[in-house]
Amino acid sequence: AAAAGYGLDLRRLVVADDPGEHFAEVVTAMASVCPVVLAAAPAGMPPRSLDRLAAHLRRAGTVLMALITSCGVSCSRVWESPRTTDG
């Protein structure tokens, strides 16, 4: 309901409740169809997995807003790749 209050079309909302160890794969799949992905990133993702995910986000032109919790402190990080257009 709060999302609708911000103007989000709930018919276009995709939720992955708890991707767990499959975070990168789930975000990759979502990035293929969604221009913006909001996700809680697991702690300790291998750098190689993050690099592959970032490359896919760039190709897809998707913005990832990731909530990261470390030592009890929450922060967010945004990976953004502008969509390119031909012409």
Side-chain angles (χ1 to χ4, degrees):
Y6 285 102
L8 295 174
D9 184 354
L10 298 182
R11 295 171 297 173
R12 297 185 51 132
L13 180 65
V14 179
V15 177
D17 187 31
D18 184 9
E21 65 185 50
H22 302 288
F23 173 81
E25 293 88 350
V26 170
V27 169
T28 296
M30 293 174 79
S32 296
V33 296
C34 300
V36 178
V37 175
L38 174 62
M45 273 189 71
R48 185 171 167 94
S49 294
L50 289 173
D51 290 343
R52 283 194 305 264
L53 178 58
H56 182 78
L57 293 170
R58 280 191 299 277
R59 284 191 305 274
T62 298
V63 174
L64 170 61
M65 298 176 65
L67 175 64
I68 303 165
T69 302
S70 179
C71 301
V73 176
S74 294
C75 63
S76 63
R77 179 166 179 187
V78 176
W79 283 274
E80 182 174 0
S81 179
R83 292 190 182 272
T84 58
T85 58
D86 294 330

